[in-house]
Amino acid sequence: MKSAIITGANGFIGTELCKTLSYHNIKVYAVLRCETSYSEELRKLKNVVPVFCDMDNILHLYNQINSADVFFHLVWAGITGKDRGDYNLQIKSIRWEMEAIAAAKKVGCKRFVGAGTTAEQDVYAYSSLDGSTPNIVSEYGAAKIAARFMSKAECNTMGMDHLWAIIPNTYGADDRSSNFINFAYDLLASNVPANFTSGEQYYDFVEVRDVANGLFHIGMSGKNNHSYYIGSGKPRRLKEYIKTMRDIINPDKELHLGAIPYNGVSVPIESFDCSKLSRDTGYEAQISFENGVQAIRRSK
């Protein structure tokens, strides 16, 4: 891989992927919606070329890029809050996925890397069961599953490698979303009672630099028509993550595990196995959860 295209290049994961590819001296075409999306962080990177093109015009990307090796498609509308249950946004994102493949083919990309989600695992584990009562996250997960298999078929039709990266629960010092790590951090640092579920279910929280490194490895040497989970290699029960955060942020804080009922489905620990990615590409996570939380603490 000497050159790559990244949609969503100014996002939390996209920016980190730009940094990773730049570090490896790979030319990056950072696809951005408009010039105001061209952040100072991206401007500082070598080998990163901004390309202003929103997803509704992605089929015309070839007018700005002559050629590239790998296409990383990270854009998705409707990934947080109630937007995950907005079927119009989810269907639009599936269309964007397919049009991104057409754009990748037009500029001569040999490989297409799509961004999946652990919400897919929840859909497989729960939504298909008789009597299950899926929530809005299931619409998001189901749309990602549709995009995964439709994009796989389309890439094979076009003679382009298809790789699917299952993005884990990602966190990091620069993340400003309302994800669980940020929620738990603020709760543990406050004077509000630390009420959580019992936390018996398994989770895998992966620092964003490891996620970007995993995407890099998938793009470089992942096997065609394979999906890869990017993991820490050390999944834990949620309560263990909570206790670790408490010990770092506010050791005297009393935890109330079980104060909130848990209504979700527990995903088996095997779902967080990243050994296939390690075996096929040489990927290994580098940042422990403890060090990741310390980095967040220093950024506060």
Side-chain angles (χ1 to χ4, degrees):
M1 176 169 49
K2 295 181 179 179
S3 59
I5 297 169
I6 304 174
T7 63
N10 64 324
F12 177 48
I13 295 175
T15 297
E16 200 62 45
L17 180 57
C18 286
K19 292 178 183 178
T20 300
L21 298 189
S22 173
Y23 173 80
H24 288 283
N25 294 315
I26 296 168
K27 185 174 184 178
V28 178
Y29 295 101
V31 180
L32 307 166
R33 187 181 344 183
C34 57
E35 194 164 352
T36 57
S37 301
Y38 191 23
S39 67
E40 286 300 320
E41 205 164 8
L42 291 178
R43 291 174 190 269
K44 294 175 183 177
L45 298 176
K46 66 176 183 178
N47 303 323
V48 174
V49 179
V51 178
F52 303 114
C53 178
D54 62 40
M55 284 306 302
D56 288 329
N57 292 295
I58 198 68
L59 291 174
H60 302 290
L61 191 64
Y62 67 93
N63 290 326
Q64 301 185 63
I65 302 174
N66 293 324
S67 65
D69 297 323
V70 181
F71 196 113
F72 293 93
H73 181 58
L74 303 184
V75 165
W76 192 273
I79 61 173
T80 60
K82 293 182 179 179
D83 285 348
R84 291 176 296 185
D86 186 330
Y87 64 83
N88 286 311
L89 289 178
Q90 300 305 325
I91 291 171
K92 179 167 70 172
S93 294
I94 295 172
R95 175 172 59 81
W96 284 350
E97 190 89 24
M98 306 307 288
E99 291 179 350
I101 292 171
K105 181 66 175 180
K106 283 185 177 182
V107 300
C109 290
K110 302 176 182 66
R111 321 197 89 195
F112 180 87
V113 181
T117 170
T118 53
E120 296 173 50
Q121 299 167 336
D122 294 337
V123 173
Y124 286 128
Y126 182 65
S127 295
S128 61
L129 301 177
D130 289 339
S132 63
T133 56
N135 56 31
I136 61 172
V137 179
S138 299
E139 294 190 42
Y140 167 55
K144 281 287 191 177
I145 290 171
R148 173 181 180 177
F149 293 119
M150 290 175 69
S151 64
K152 186 176 184 179
E154 190 71 5
C155 281
N156 277 274
T157 299
M158 292 188 173
M160 186 164 46
D161 285 358
H162 180 272
L163 301 110
W164 194 253
I166 301 174
I167 306 296
N169 289 291
T170 306
Y171 72 97
D174 294 330
D175 183 22
R176 298 295 178 261
S177 73
S178 57
N179 70 14
F180 180 80
I181 296 299
N182 286 340
F183 161 78
Y185 190 103
D186 292 341
L187 182 59
L188 291 168
S190 73
N191 294 321
V192 177
N195 295 335
F196 295 95
T197 66
S198 60
E200 294 295 332
Q201 65 273 33
Y202 280 101
Y203 266 75
D204 192 25
F205 292 104
V206 186
E207 216 269 354
V208 67
R209 287 168 288 180
D210 280 332
V211 173
N213 190 36
L215 286 165
F216 161 70
H217 276 79
I218 290 170
M220 279 290 291
S221 52
K223 293 182 179 179
N224 181 28
N225 290 329
H226 279 57
S227 64
Y228 293 99
Y229 172 72
I230 303 173
S232 69
K234 297 179 180 179
R236 314 176 192 179
R237 294 188 188 275
L238 182 61
K239 63 182 180 182
E240 295 174 26
Y241 284 110
I242 294 170
K243 289 176 181 176
T244 297
M245 292 184 70
R246 186 275 311 273
D247 292 346
I248 293 172
I249 300 164
N250 192 354
D252 296 326
K253 184 88 168 184
E254 182 179 359
L255 297 177
H256 301 288
L257 297 172
I260 298 174
Y262 177 62
N263 299 318
V265 59
S266 295
V267 176
I269 192 171
E270 293 78 17
S271 299
F272 305 116
D273 182 9
C274 64
S275 60
K276 182 171 73 166
L277 177 58
S278 298
R279 182 178 64 249
D280 288 356
T281 72
Y283 162 83
E284 294 293 341
Q286 300 295 319
I287 301 167
S288 69
F289 183 69
E290 290 77 5
N291 287 342
V293 174
Q294 290 284 10
I296 294 175
R297 187 181 184 187
R298 290 192 295 271
S299 72
K300 294 291 185 180

